[in-house]
Amino acid sequence: MSEPTVSDRNRSTTSSDVHKASLDQSVEQLPQDARRLLYFELANLISGALTTDELKKYCQSATEALGYDYYLFGGFYPMVESSVMWSTFPAEWHAEYEANGYIAIDPTVKHWWTSTNPIVWRKVEYSEGKTGDLERMVMEQARVFGLRSGISVPVHGSGAEGCMLSLASKEEHADFEIHDEAGLKIIVHAMHEVTKRIIATTSIGNEPNIETLTPREIECLSWTAKGKTSWATSRILDVSENTVIFHLRNAIKKLEVNNRSHAVAKAVAHSKITPF
């Protein structure tokens, strides 16, 4: 009997499985390797979503597993002339936000279009000289409506594509630094890829060259998924570091993405590699 594929495992993994694992220990109590494994488990779970409803459910599971209460996911996909926004933020906050046109002064939205790095909300609130009074007012108002702390993780795809996942908590958090930036990006890249797959009007002619990945490119992606640097991968494969970089660049080009973490997420989503 053949071993189950990544897709098979995705479908057999329920949101409660991942959430149950997160209940045994808080995220900050997990060793670094276990924490990285959690990120990949969540990315794998999300990659298995076949419908919008499944994606929303898995997104909530990821939110809870990472120690938050609410999420907001927004994406812009000009290639399929579509944009999305899914949120579990309080309805009262959405009404306040819309009524006052906060989108024009929301510092997390500005950050989405100008950076590729996650941003911790409390750093926005206390960033003197970089954040204006109106921007700080938006963050203060969010706190009034129960969004007391949070983090936003932007991702940029090819062309003008982009999305951002914001995670928020009812409580004051002092432990945002426990999260691994690359791990969070893997999760958001997975959401990005699945969202594109679900909303695409047609896959003909738009699929990346997944099947043209060479065995060596897949091998390099696999070690990257396990957290290895180019140098460490070169030692494992007994090749030069430049050779590893060459293969990873080719993989990034074939997968039509901009960076390694996005390439890993896309390869996982298409069952070409597994991080385990």
Side-chain angles (χ1 to χ4, degrees):
M1 179 180 294
S2 61
E3 295 185 359
T5 65
V6 173
S7 295
D8 292 334
R9 288 197 295 271
N10 283 340
R11 294 190 180 93
S12 64
T13 302
T14 65
S15 59
S16 60
D17 291 333
V18 175
H19 186 48
K20 181 179 182 298
S22 72
L23 293 177
D24 295 333
Q25 288 180 289
S26 59
V27 179
E28 65 267 23
Q29 292 177 315
L30 292 173
Q32 184 177 5
D33 288 346
R35 199 178 301 161
R36 182 178 291 121
L37 183 61
L38 174 62
Y39 296 133
F40 278 112
E41 285 177 341
L42 294 172
N44 266 327
L45 179 68
I46 289 167
S47 295
L50 301 177
T51 66
T52 298
D53 286 343
E54 283 188 352
L55 181 55
K56 291 178 180 178
K57 180 177 70 174
Y58 296 160
C59 211
Q60 182 60 34
S61 296
T63 300
E64 295 170 4
L66 293 172
Y68 297 89
D69 301 300
Y70 308 107
Y71 78 85
L72 183 148
F73 176 77
F76 179 60
Y77 303 94
M79 291 296 290
V80 290
E81 299 180 353
S82 182
S83 60
V84 301
M85 192 192 79
W86 302 312
S87 173
T88 60
F89 282 9
E92 296 82 4
W93 170 242
H94 281 299
E96 172 80 5
Y97 194 95
E98 291 292 330
N100 291 282
Y102 286 159
I103 191 171
I105 54 174
D106 186 340
T108 65
V109 174
K110 178 182 178 181
H111 183 80
W112 177 5
W113 294 111
T114 59
S115 177
T116 59
N117 299 317
I119 183 170
V120 176
W121 291 4
R122 63 179 169 82
K123 290 185 178 179
V124 174
E125 295 178 69
Y126 299 107
S127 180
E128 295 292 341
K130 294 183 179 180
T131 306
D133 291 340
L134 289 176
E135 294 171 317
R136 272 194 291 272
M137 182 269 292
V138 173
M139 306 308 292
E140 290 167 1
Q141 281 297 102
R143 291 166 62 87
V144 171
F145 285 84
L147 305 173
R148 298 187 180 279
S149 55
I151 186 169
S152 295
V153 187
V155 156
H156 299 277
S158 56
E161 285 180 1
C163 70
M164 185 168 71
L165 175 67
S166 290
L167 301 172
S169 175
K170 301 173 185 176
E171 308 296 333
E172 299 287 353
H173 275 197
D175 59 355
F176 289 111
E177 283 72 15
I178 65 167
H179 287 301
D180 177 75
E181 180 177 314
L184 290 173
K185 284 186 174 182
I186 287 291
I187 292 172
V188 183
H189 276 305
M191 293 181 65
H192 176 66
E193 287 302 316
V194 173
T195 301
K196 283 206 301 182
R197 187 175 72 212
I198 290 174
I199 67 175
T201 56
T202 177
S203 61
I204 299 175
N206 291 326
E207 280 297 303
N209 298 318
I210 293 287
E211 299 308 321
T212 65
L213 287 173
T214 66
R216 186 63 94 182
E217 288 163 359
I218 292 172
E219 203 169 20
C220 290
L221 283 172
S222 294
W223 286 113
T224 301
K226 293 178 174 66
K228 301 298 183 184
T229 63
S230 296
W231 181 86
T233 300
S234 72
R235 299 301 90 194
I236 293 168
L237 300 180
D238 195 24
V239 297
S240 72
E241 184 177 5
N242 284 338
T243 298
V244 172
I245 293 171
F246 171 78
H247 288 306
L248 288 172
R249 284 177 177 170
N250 281 345
I252 288 169
K253 183 177 180 180
K254 289 178 181 180
L255 293 170
E256 299 176 11
V257 296
N258 294 329
N259 52 58
R260 296 183 183 189
S261 60
H262 196 173
V264 167
K266 202 163 204 176
V268 169
H270 287 270
S271 303
K272 299 303 292 185
I273 66 170
T274 172
F276 306 116

